[in-house]
Amino acid sequence: MRGQPTLALTTTVDRLQQAEEEPIRIGQIVAADSSWTFMLFLNATPPQYWPAPA
């Protein structure tokens, strides 16, 4: 493995397990030079903002 270590893997796995039967869309962004990759896990739940918008 090169570059930065995987971040928040445990949290990501926990959240995916909590989704249970909810459909999840998976996306991936890869830098043009392949120096980094960013994974997206999207569900149908509206986003939660903190602090809540006024």
Side-chain angles (χ1 to χ4, degrees), residues 15 22-24 41-50 53:
R15 288 186 181 184
E22 183 177 2
I24 302 284
F41 300 95
L42 307 170
N43 63 16
T45 306
Q48 297 176 354
Y49 298 99
W50 188 87

Side-chain angles (χ1 to χ4, degrees), residues 2 28-38:
R2 64 176 200 214
Q28 182 181 45
I29 301 170
V30 180
D33 64 358
S34 298
S35 62
W36 57 265
T37 302
F38 188 84

Side-chain angles (χ1 to χ4, degrees), residues 11-28 39-46:
T11 302
T12 301
V13 171
D14 289 344
R15 288 186 181 184
L16 289 171
Q17 288 174 335
Q18 290 171 10
E20 296 180 355
E21 298 296 320
E22 183 177 2
I24 302 284
R25 290 184 182 248
I26 300 173
Q28 182 181 45
M39 297 298 298
L40 302 167
F41 300 95
L42 307 170
N43 63 16
T45 306

